Amino acid sequence: SPERPSSWAALQLLVLRLHFYAGILIAPFLLVAASTGLLYAASFQIEQVVYQHELTTPAGQTRLALSQQVAAARAAQPQGSVTAVRPAAEPGQTTRVLLNRPGLAESTQLAVFVDPHTGQVRGTLESYGSSGALPVRAWISMLHRHLHLGEPGRIYSELAASWLWVVALGGLVLWITRRRRSRRHLLVPDRTARGAHRTLSWHGSVGLWAVLGLLFLSATGLTWSKYAGANVDELRATFDWTTPSISVSGGDHGGHASPTGHHGAATDVGVDRVAQVAAGKRLSGPLEITWPAEPGEPYLVKEIDKTAPTRLDQVAVDAASGQVSAELRFADYPLAAKLARWGIDGHMGLLFGLANQILLVLLAVGLISLIVLGYRMWWRRRPTRGFGKPYARGGWRNVPWAVLVPLGLLAVAVGVFLPLMGISLAAFLLIDVLLGLRSRASGRT
């Protein structure tokens, strides 16, 4: 009888088969995610070019009071209600005044761009989300997130994020345990190889260099997902890893907001005073000053510089007295909240600025290359016609129960935490069983 393979050899066959199935069936989702992610990594520069007129202005020697700049925006859009302002942080930049206006989509505001030196309105654009994405970047972001299909479209990105770490780790295990003539070819492709071995050498080497980045993208991408993201939020809440928030509650001081967002002078110190108070608390640009949403609530001033070193300090300023009513320093965030913030910003290409975006581009190109090389290996394994066969089944039978049972329980736990992965894994197993029964019925091994 044939010699029984070792436990590791049997487990290796199991990993190889899972890597094959996941690679073949999930790779299309990963390819779309990588391609749209590549486009998003360049969206910041695209935004700067497309909206150069709105975002920039000739630098001047003097600057108008912030209240005058807001008034200019309000005059240009009298039907809107001012919600926030982002003062020009550097010479040559415009001030962005944000307004609510009927008819805008959810999470969207109207951004009015004002020359801080002259008060001239240089343009008006829709601004999406807390990142302030303008239309072209918002369109690319939604393409990457759900292909402009709404909530159903988020399934694609969650499937990609749920399986990316499995494919990456499985490939890493297979590559580092592979026998090779030289350890050097663990890190760099073997250029002397030919045919399928050459393709595999490139596939493995590129995957090894990209694996940490792919694991990072998978983990951070899941935080935005619909089903797994809800479980991540619940886990963070359980262990008190949530991001702290500043208190904006306050007593009613008799102030009231008009439909345009302007507060009575007798009860509102005004945005100029609020900016001065924030500066006294060592908050510096880029800043966002948010208007009180309800009577008695304070202004909220927050730093919005998400590059390293991160500056996200916040203060609440009482609208009636101009006194600071609450402070929240990024240095006081729990470590888990800081890591979550850095992870999200790194995924978006914000954390290290241009270097971060270049790294994302390299990861996206690397992942696309891995997928193309993987499909090429599959295609080369095919017979004279048709498609390449999957790797031999039955490896699990030779894995000791002491290893197989914990592995199965871990798979179930991960499948529950990542529901789309669990459902798709169950579908893979069902397909595999049916193919096995069909093969047995036809007398093939």
Side-chain angles (χ1 to χ4, degrees):
S1 61
E3 183 179 349
R4 182 184 179 91
S6 66
S7 299
W8 169 242
L11 187 60
Q12 195 173 29
L13 290 174
L14 191 63
V15 173
L16 181 62
R17 191 168 177 84
L18 177 63
H19 187 72
F20 171 84
Y21 266 119
I24 294 298
L25 301 177
I26 300 298
F29 299 98
L30 292 173
L31 183 60
V32 173
S35 301
T36 56
L38 175 62
L39 184 60
Y40 184 78
S43 66
F44 296 92
Q45 282 69 37
I46 295 174
E47 184 177 73
Q48 292 292 323
V49 172
V50 173
Y51 304 118
Q52 182 180 15
H53 178 76
E54 290 83 358
L55 294 170
T56 62
T57 185
Q61 297 297 322
T62 61
R63 178 177 293 198
L64 297 176
L66 195 54
S67 58
Q68 293 178 281
Q69 299 176 52
V70 174
R74 185 181 289 120
Q77 294 291 331
Q79 72 277 32
S81 174
V82 177
T83 60
V85 59
R86 295 185 174 186
E90 297 178 2
Q93 293 183 349
T94 54
T95 291
R96 185 181 305 197
V97 182
L98 301 173
L99 303 94
N100 274 337
R101 195 180 68 177
L104 292 176
E106 183 181 0
S107 300
T108 302
Q109 299 182 88
L110 193 67
V112 181
F113 298 87
V114 180
D115 186 328
H117 311 294
T118 66
Q120 175 193 5
V121 173
R122 294 183 61 84
T124 303
L125 296 167
E126 292 185 357
S127 174
Y128 178 82
S130 61
S131 67
L134 300 179
V136 65
R137 182 156 64 93
W139 189 91
I140 295 172
S141 176
M142 294 301 103
L143 179 69
H144 179 60
R145 187 177 185 184
H146 53 51
L147 304 179
H148 293 281
L149 299 176
E151 289 298 313
R154 295 179 65 182
I155 293 176
Y156 112 85
S157 56
E158 184 165 349
L159 267 175
S162 297
W163 277 99
L164 179 56
W165 67 275
V166 178
V167 176
L169 286 180
L172 176 66
V173 169
L174 293 171
W175 182 243
I176 62 177
T177 58
R178 181 179 177 82
R179 292 182 180 180
R180 51 181 52 82
R181 291 174 296 177
S182 170
R183 292 184 179 180
R184 178 175 178 271
H185 294 146
L186 174 70
L187 300 175
V188 297
D190 183 359
R191 297 186 178 181
T192 64
R194 293 291 180 268
H197 292 291
R198 183 182 181 88
T199 305
L200 175 61
S201 180
W202 276 96
H203 182 80
S205 298
V206 172
L208 182 67
W209 284 100
V211 65
L212 288 179
L214 298 181
L215 293 176
F216 169 80
L217 292 178
S218 177
T220 52
L222 286 172
T223 62
W224 279 299
S225 62
K226 181 176 179 62
Y227 303 104
N231 291 332
V232 171
D233 291 341
E234 185 176 343
L235 180 68
R236 291 181 63 190
T238 300
F239 290 97
D240 196 24
W241 293 344
T242 54
T243 301
S245 59
I246 192 170
S247 173
V248 294
S249 61
D252 191 344
H253 298 281
H256 63 278
S258 71
T260 60
H262 180 68
H263 292 252
T267 58
D268 193 316
V269 296
V271 68
D272 295 325
R273 173 61 180 160
V274 171
Q276 291 174 0
V277 171
K281 288 294 183 178
R282 295 178 286 107
L283 268 67
S284 58
L287 294 175
E288 180 176 282
I289 304 174
T290 303
W291 262 242
E294 299 291 341
E297 290 189 355
Y299 283 88
L300 178 61
V301 187
K302 53 185 176 182
E303 295 176 326
I304 54 175
D305 186 4
K306 296 180 179 179
T307 58
T310 303
R311 294 188 298 121
L312 295 174
D313 294 346
Q314 304 177 44
V315 296
V317 180
D318 185 84
S321 66
Q323 300 297 313
V324 173
S325 58
E327 293 185 45
L328 177 60
R329 302 289 176 176
F330 184 72
D332 298 328
Y333 278 32
L335 178 59
K338 289 180 179 178
L339 292 176
R341 180 73 267 165
W342 291 329
I344 291 173
D345 294 337
H347 189 111
M348 294 181 65
L350 298 171
L351 188 59
F352 301 111
L354 180 61
N356 197 160
Q357 294 156 32
I358 292 174
L359 180 59
L360 290 177
V361 167
L362 293 176
L363 283 173
V365 171
L367 181 54
I368 293 171
S369 301
L370 289 170
I371 294 169
V372 172
L373 291 169
Y375 274 122
R376 178 172 172 78
M377 287 190 293
W378 175 51
W379 184 252
R380 292 181 69 94
R381 292 183 65 248
R382 76 190 193 285
T384 54
R385 58 183 179 179
F387 299 103
K389 296 180 180 180
Y391 291 92
R393 62 167 48 85
W396 65 271
R397 298 188 184 96
N398 297 313
V399 179
W401 285 102
V403 175
L404 194 60
V405 170
L407 196 62
L409 293 175
L410 178 62
V412 171
V414 171
V416 171
F417 191 78
L418 308 177
L420 291 187
M421 178 186 169
I423 293 172
S424 54
L425 178 59
F428 292 171
L429 294 175
L430 178 60
I431 293 172
D432 198 42
V433 169
L434 293 176
L435 290 176
L437 293 176
R438 179 185 177 186
S439 178
R440 183 177 301 178
S442 62
R444 296 192 300 268
T445 57

